[in-house]
Structure formats: C-alpha cells, structure tokens
C-alpha cells in the first residue's frame, strides 16, 4: 500500500497537535543542526495498523485495531510484511540489500560528500506468539515515516540514512533472541544461527525457512564493510515495555544501555510410571522436580534483586493423566543490570537444581544448555547526546528521563560494532509481550519525531566534523 505525501495542511495540523501536547517540532531556531521537519502522525498511525493486518490475532476489543499480533519470524505473515517493506522503501528511492540471515538494509542516499556507511534506524517486524502491535513494529514504521519526511522535503543528509529490519529479534520461533544482529556483530556463528530449529516444529530451521521464502540473501551477514553491510550508527525507537515512563509522566526515555541477561534450557529426565501403583519413594518424577526448580529460581532471583522467569515448559506429547512423565524441559531467563549478579544467580540456581534433583523418590537427572548470554551494555555518548538534544527541544528537559533498558534489543549487538542508542516511549500500564500492548498515537508520533530529529542532529554533528 502506498501512502500519499503529506499535505501542508496535515503538516500544519500535526505541528499544532505537537504544541497542544506540550511538544514542539525540532525547529531551526533552536539549533544550527536542526531539520525543521515535521513527521505526519496520521500517516504513521495508518501505516502501523495497516501493516498489522499480517499477523493480527487475539482480539480483545471491538475496534479494528484492538487485536494483538502473532507474526513469528519467517512465517507467511512475516514474509508478507517484508514484501510491503521492500516495496515501500524502494518507492522512497532506497536501495535494498538482504543478507544471509534475512536482515533487510534499506539505504537512502545522502549528499554524496561523505563516503561512509549509512546511519541506520533499526528494529524488527517479528512478534511474540501472543504479542502486540508496537514491540519492534513501531521502530520500523517510525523509520519508514522518517524517510518519507526526508524524501518529501527533498532533505539531503550528509551521510546516507536508512533502515534495518532485523530477523528473529524476538527469539520466539527460533530460540535465540537478537540472533541475526548477533551474527552481524560477529557474536554468533552463522552456522549455529542457521541450525536453530522452530521450538515446536524442529524440522524447520532458520536456514530452511530463509531458503523457503527467498530471504537467504547473497550478502554476507557481517558488519565488515568489505564483506557485509557496515553502519556508521544505529538508532532504535521502541516502546519501553515497562511502567517507568508512564508512572513518571515522561514522554521520552533516553536509553543509556541495557541490562544483562542469560537464557538457559533445562532438561530433567526421570522414568514414566503408573500414578496409582507407584509409591512416592519409588518415583523418579521430572515434572515435580522441574516445578521445584522453577520456584527455587524465583526465590533466588528475588533475594538478589534480579529477575528469573520461565516461559516454556514441555513434556512428551504422549503424556497421560495417570502416568508420571518420563522427562520435561523448561526455559530460564535471568536478568539484572550487573553482569556479576546474573552470574551469581545462575550459579545459585544450578546448585539448587542439583540439590532438588536428589530430593524426591529415586531422584532425576538434570542437564542444561546456555542459549543466550547478553552482557550489560552502555550505549554511545554521542548518540545519546543527539537524543537528549532532540528530546529537550521536543518535550522540554522535564519531559524526558534517562533510562536503562530491561529488555534485550538488536541495539545491544549493534553497540559492539557502531555508535548506538535507543529512544523509549511509554506503553499503557507497562504491558508488553501481550495482545493488549498499547502506545497512544500521540506517543508514537512524539517518539518518531524524536527519532528523526536525533538522526538529523547526529548527521549534522558527524557530517560537519567529516567535512
């Protein structure tokens, strides 16, 4: 679907709307590097919900937009929205490259004076199985709107500017989060990533699905400019996914970094037996042990001010009500802003699980794998200053808040290869990874304006220095 260019009336109306919200577009009077551009918020909102037709699910209200999303990576719906994205960026004069992980790099030419990698606005279009309409999606749609605004105003940036759609950021279908940005950053071997299997249909792997849908690109997935696609900077707009901004009454979160986390999978093996004839002391019950382990991880994390969560529990498909399960597996997600605390909680959980494995009946065996290890990161000061300048001009110094991301994002990996930061906007009640995830049209627009202004500011600073 192609959207008409903003009319002057629309631009004026939304300039007035920003003012009514206590915001002001990034004007040329406030900074010599300002753009004076105003995004079209009506168009942004229309585009966001138009693209949610691919994967809409889990209706919770009567409004057409009151559904969640189930658009897992490299499913048919993901491929459909990728096709829309490709057509849209090409209509904006962008070139498009697809790498060996299916990452999509759209590039709009700058003035041509600077020979350097593009400044990217990046996020993802895949969702959780019971996700919402904003996580990841807003970041990509905001980037599209930013490019539209540059294009319709014939605004020439110093650097090339573009968008990245990262593959399988969620890790919901193929269980390693931010896997494709991790390969791009050199942190994850591509063969390991390609071999990741669908959590419920192991015959399907990332590589087989890339091949099936024609997204196994011919560009090497690497940040090395001689082999892959390098970036000069990476800016990501995202809903906060927590309640801090909303509770503080702030419109923008200027993100300084992201907390550490680890994902682990535990497999507990026992012996199937009749529930009515097998005494407790003669049992080897893996599901009982797993339940105790999950409860223990919660208590350990709470004691250390950390977070521990289990999102997937599996037992054999042929399990029966009156039979003790032969095995079970479960995931464990541990998070804290400090690497050392995550490591401590992990060790205490492993020790506790070994003890629990011997507690009941004849005991069980427990094995584990580390699926994701994402250390805490600090974002680039220059990128952060660009967002601070944009946020201050847009909502005033009291309208934004410095914040640390509690979730992992592709920006975690890009920060190891190029200057990076993120912009957060509030989401209602801090709800995310849920169908009722919601960010108001006004907050989406404010975040998108901040994204555009920050990129233009950064481009002006770095472009001026390079000239």
């Amino acid at each position: 679907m192609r959207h008409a260019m903003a009319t002057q009336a629309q631009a004026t109306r939304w300039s007035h709307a920003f003012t009514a919200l206590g915001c002001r577009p990034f004007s040329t009077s406030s900074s010599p590097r300002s753009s004076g551009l105003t995004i079209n918020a009506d168009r942004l909102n229309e585009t966001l919900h138009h693209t949610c037709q691919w994967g809409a699910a889990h209706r919770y209200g009567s409004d057409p937009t009151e559904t969640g999303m189930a658009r897992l990576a490299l499913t048919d719906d993901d491929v459909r929205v990728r096709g829309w994205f490709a057509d849209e960026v090409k209509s904006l004069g962008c070139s498009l490259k697809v790498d060996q992980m299916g990452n999509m790099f759209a590039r709009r030419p700058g003035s041509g004076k600077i020979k350097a990698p593009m400044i990217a606005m990046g996020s993802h279009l895949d969702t959780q199985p019971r996700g919402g309409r904003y996580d990841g999606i807003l970041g990509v749609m905001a980037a599209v709107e930013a490019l539209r605004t540059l294009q319709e105003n014939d605004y020439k940036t110093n650097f090339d500017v573009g968008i990245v759609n990262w593959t399988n950021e969620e890790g919901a279908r193929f269980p390693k989060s931010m896997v494709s940005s991790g390969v791009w950053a050199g942190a994850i071997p591509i063969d390991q990533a390609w071999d990741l299997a669908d959590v419920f249909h192991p015959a399907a792997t990332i590589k087989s699905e890339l091949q099936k849908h024609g997204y196994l690109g011919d560009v090497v997935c690497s940040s090395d400019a001689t082999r892959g696609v390098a970036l000069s900077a990476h800016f990501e707009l995202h809903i906060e996914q927590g309640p801090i901004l909303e509770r503080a009454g702030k419109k923008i979160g200027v993100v300084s970094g992201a907390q550490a986390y680890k994902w682990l999978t535990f497999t507990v093996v026992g012996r199937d037996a009749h529930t009515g004839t097998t005494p407790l002391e003669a049992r080897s019950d893996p599901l009982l042990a797993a339940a105790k382990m999950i409860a223990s991880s919660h208590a350990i994390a709470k004691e250390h001010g950390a977070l521990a969560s289990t999102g997937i529990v599996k037992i054999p498909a042929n399990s029966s009500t009156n039979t003790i399960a032969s095995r079970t597996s479960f995931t464990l997600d541990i998070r804290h802003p400090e690497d050392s605390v995550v490591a401590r909680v992990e060790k205490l959980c492993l020790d506790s699980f070994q003890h629990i494995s011997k507690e009941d009946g004849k005991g069980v065996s427990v094995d584990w794998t580390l699926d994701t290890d994402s250390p805490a990161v600090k974002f680039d000061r220059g990128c952060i200053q660009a967002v601070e300048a944009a946020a201050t001009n847009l909502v005033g110094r009291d309208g934004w808040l410095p914040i640390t991301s509690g979730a992992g994002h592709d920006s975690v990996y890009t920060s190891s290869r190029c200057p990076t930061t993120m912009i957060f906007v509030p989401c209602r009640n801090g709800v995310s990874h849920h169908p009722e995830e919601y960010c108001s049209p006004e907050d989406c627009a404010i975040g998108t304006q901040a994204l555009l202004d920050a990129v233009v500011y950064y481009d002006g600073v770095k472009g001026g220095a390079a000239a």
Side-chain angles (χ1 to χ4, degrees), residues 22-352:
C23 308
R24 47 195 182 275
F26 207 41
S27 64
T28 51
S29 62
S30 63
S31 165
R33 304 182 185 95
S34 303
S35 69
L37 303 171
T38 302
I39 64 105
N40 183 329
D42 282 339
R43 182 173 60 191
L44 168 69
N45 190 59
E46 178 191 353
T47 300
L48 189 150
H49 294 299
H50 169 76
T51 61
C52 285
Q53 68 181 287
W54 299 298
H58 318 302
R59 177 164 294 283
Y60 62 88
S62 58
D63 190 271
T65 67
E66 290 181 328
T67 76
M69 294 292 292
R71 189 165 69 206
L72 276 67
L74 302 176
T75 57
D76 290 346
D77 280 324
D78 185 37
V79 171
R80 291 183 183 103
V81 76
R82 283 167 171 264
W84 174 90
F85 175 77
D87 289 343
E88 195 67 21
V89 295
K90 288 175 184 176
S91 77
L92 296 173
C94 295
S95 61
L96 181 65
K97 291 184 178 180
V98 179
D99 72 15
Q100 293 172 320
M101 286 297 296
N103 297 317
M104 304 174 73
F105 297 85
R107 182 176 186 132
R108 179 181 184 266
S111 65
K113 297 178 181 178
I114 296 176
K115 304 302 181 185
M118 72 174 176
I119 297 172
M121 298 170 281
S123 201
H124 59 98
L125 291 171
D126 67 307
T127 77
Q128 290 286 327
R130 283 181 52 80
R133 289 177 165 238
Y134 302 87
D135 176 0
I137 299 171
L138 174 60
V140 177
M141 296 307 140
V144 169
E145 177 57 30
L147 288 193
R148 287 171 173 166
T149 304
L150 293 172
Q151 186 74 356
E152 70 194 11
N153 286 278
D154 196 26
Y155 188 98
K156 284 296 182 183
T157 51
N158 295 299
F159 287 77
D160 294 351
V161 173
I163 309 173
V164 188
N165 171 37
W166 299 102
T167 300
N168 192 57
E169 188 275 349
E170 292 290 357
R173 185 182 182 194
F174 304 104
K176 187 179 284 291
S177 64
M178 303 114 63
V179 63
S180 298
S181 55
V183 174
W184 177 86
I188 301 171
I190 193 166
D191 287 338
Q192 182 187 113
W194 276 344
D195 288 344
L196 284 172
D198 185 309
V199 291
F200 292 111
H201 305 285
T205 65
I206 283 188
K207 187 172 186 179
S208 71
E209 293 300 279
L210 288 170
Q211 291 172 323
K212 172 183 174 182
H213 294 295
Y215 276 94
L216 185 64
D218 54 6
V219 177
V220 174
C221 184
S222 172
S223 60
D224 182 348
T226 63
R227 301 166 58 244
V229 181
L231 303 177
S232 285
H234 186 269
F235 289 82
E236 183 172 8
L237 174 66
H238 210 280
I239 58 170
E240 180 198 347
Q241 300 183 285
I244 295 172
L245 292 176
E246 185 179 60
R247 288 176 179 175
K250 307 297 184 181
K251 288 297 184 181
I252 295 172
V254 179
V255 187
S256 59
Q259 69 177 344
Y261 72 94
K262 290 187 178 185
W263 285 6
L264 304 97
T265 298
F266 291 87
T267 301
V268 187
V269 179
R271 183 180 177 86
D272 38 12
H274 196 297
T275 58
T277 60
T278 310
L280 293 178
E281 65 274 11
R283 296 184 179 190
S284 183
D285 188 340
L287 194 54
L288 173 63
K292 287 187 171 185
M293 292 172 187
I294 293 167
S296 173
S297 70
H298 173 80
I300 292 168
K302 186 176 181 180
E303 181 181 352
H304 289 78
L307 301 170
S309 310
T310 293
I312 298 175
V313 177
K314 294 182 184 179
I315 59 173
N318 58 0
S319 298
S320 169
T321 300
N322 62 338
T323 301
I324 296 165
S326 60
R327 63 191 293 126
T328 187
S329 66
F330 65 92
T331 59
L332 185 64
D333 177 330
I334 304 170
R335 303 191 187 223
H336 190 273
E338 297 179 19
D339 295 330
S340 60
V341 176
V342 171
R344 177 66 175 160
V345 170
E346 178 190 26
K347 183 181 185 305
L348 290 173
C349 285
L350 293 174
D351 292 344
S352 173

Side-chain angles (χ1 to χ4, degrees), residues 371-384:
D371 303 321
T372 299
D373 184 357
S374 181
V377 300
K378 299 294 184 184
F379 289 149
D380 176 75
R381 186 60 202 153
C383 290
I384 292 171

